[in-house]
Structure formats: structure tokens, C-alpha cells
């Protein structure tokens, strides 16, 4: 059965779960700061199915701590902040000034760039996905957890065509990145079994 990660109860509930995972008090305080920063920048943004955007950010933290056992505070802060440059007016330099160079570097790795001059959005996205193959291990952990949160309830996305394209992109570009991470490799294998039906109009998709 596919393991699903929940954070709908908000940061205070997730924080209590991290306390039980023996995350140090000073690290929790650092995460408090990152969550406050992300909430301020993402404001009233929502996900495609309507849930508050911060719920996605907290799910990524839960994956890293509860499934993978990550306790590196910079990785966890980057998880909270991973979309703040891509999806808000926040600049990478704002992240660097507030949280340090290592967090900023991790956020930069998982931020999709705007298309350069003469480049289409599709070309920019393809280049970003290709670049992930050379991502440092910590950045890759954040990305794998990010995509997990995005696809664990793929059937709630309101647009069927987006469900199909996101499924196929995940299979083609993200699943290969799991090979050195046994837990993620198994989770994504289970996910493909659970959600292969979203690509039924492409008979070859489920067997790739």
C-alpha cells in the first residue's frame, strides 16, 4: 500500500512529530524561522486541489525526516524554502542573507529557472530536469521528497491532461534519480503501480 504523508494539521502538529523524532531544540527553532519566512512569502497561495501551499512544504519535511531519516537542518530548511524563489517574488539572495549559503545553494538546485532569451518554457523545463542528474546528494533528496509530495495524491489534480503529463515526466525524469536511494526507489515503484491508470491513453507509459 502506498505510504502517504500528511501535514494538513499545520506546522505545530508537524513540529510535535519532529520533537518525537528527537530533532534538537535549536534546529526546531531554525525550522520555525524557515516556516515563518515561507508562510510570509507564499501568503495565500494554494495547490491545484485547493489546499494551502504551506501544506506541500511541510509534507516535504515529513518525508525527509519520517521516511528517510534526514536530520540535517540545512536540508530541512531548504525543504521548507524550496519553492520560495520559483513561486514568489523572493530572491535567492534573500534566502542566502537569511539562512546562509548552503541553504541557498540547495534551493537554487531545485528552482526551475525562467526561460532564457530564445528558449521556450518546455525547453527550460527539460534543461532543468536534465541538470538534476548532476545534483549534489542533499539537493537530490529535497527534489525527490518534493516530487513525492506533488504526486502522492496525483488523482486529486483537477486537470486530467496535467495528471498524465506529470505522471509521464515523473516516470521518465525523476524515477531514474532514485537508483541510489532504496527507500525512494521502492516508494516510486509502489506509486507507479498505484497511478499507472492516469496514463491509460498512452498504452506504453505504464510499461516503461
Amino acid at each position: 500500500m502506498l505510504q502517504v504523508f500528511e501535514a494538513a494539521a499545520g506546522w505545530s502538529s508537524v513540529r510535535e512529530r519532529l520533537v518525537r523524532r528527537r530533532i534538537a531544540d535549536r534546529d526546531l527553532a531554525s525550522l520555525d524561522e524557515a516556516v515563518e519566512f515561507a508562510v510570509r512569502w507564499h501568503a495565500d497561495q494554494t495547490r491545484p486541489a485547493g489546499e494551502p501551499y504551506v501544506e506541500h512544504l511541510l509534507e516535504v519535511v515529513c518525508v525527509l525526516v519520517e521516511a528517510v531519516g534526514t536530520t540535517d537542518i540545512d536540508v530541512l530548511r531548504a525543504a521548507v524554502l524550496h519553492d520560495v524563489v520559483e513561486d514568489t517574488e523572493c530572491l535567492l539572495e534573500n534566502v542566502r542573507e537569511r539562512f546562509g549559503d548552503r541553504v541557498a545553494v540547495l534551493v537554487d538546485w531545485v528552482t526551475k529557472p525562467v526561460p532564457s532569451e530564445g528558449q521556450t518554457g518546455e525547453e527550460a523545463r527539460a534543461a532543468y530536469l536534465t541538470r538534476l542528474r548532476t545534483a549534489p546528494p542533499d539537493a537530490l533528496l529535497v527534489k525527490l521528497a518534493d516530487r513525492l509530495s506533488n504526486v502522492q495524491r496525483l488523482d486529486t489534480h483537477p486537470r486530467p491532461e496535467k495528471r498524465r503529463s506529470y505522471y509521464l515526466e515523473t516516470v521518465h525524469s525523476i524515477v531514474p534519480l532514485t537508483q541510489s536511494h532504496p527507500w525512494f526507489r521502492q516508494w516510486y515503484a509502489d506509486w507507479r503501480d498505484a497511478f499507472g491508470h492516469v496514463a491509460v491513453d498512452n498504452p506504453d507509459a505504464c510499461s516503461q
Side-chain angles (χ1 to χ4, degrees), residues 169-188:
E169 180 184 270
T170 302
V171 169
H172 296 156
S173 298
I174 302 299
V175 169
L177 303 178
T178 69
Q179 294 312 301
S180 60
H181 298 282
W183 187 88
F184 279 118
R185 186 169 65 245
Q186 184 59 56
W187 189 92
Y188 278 97

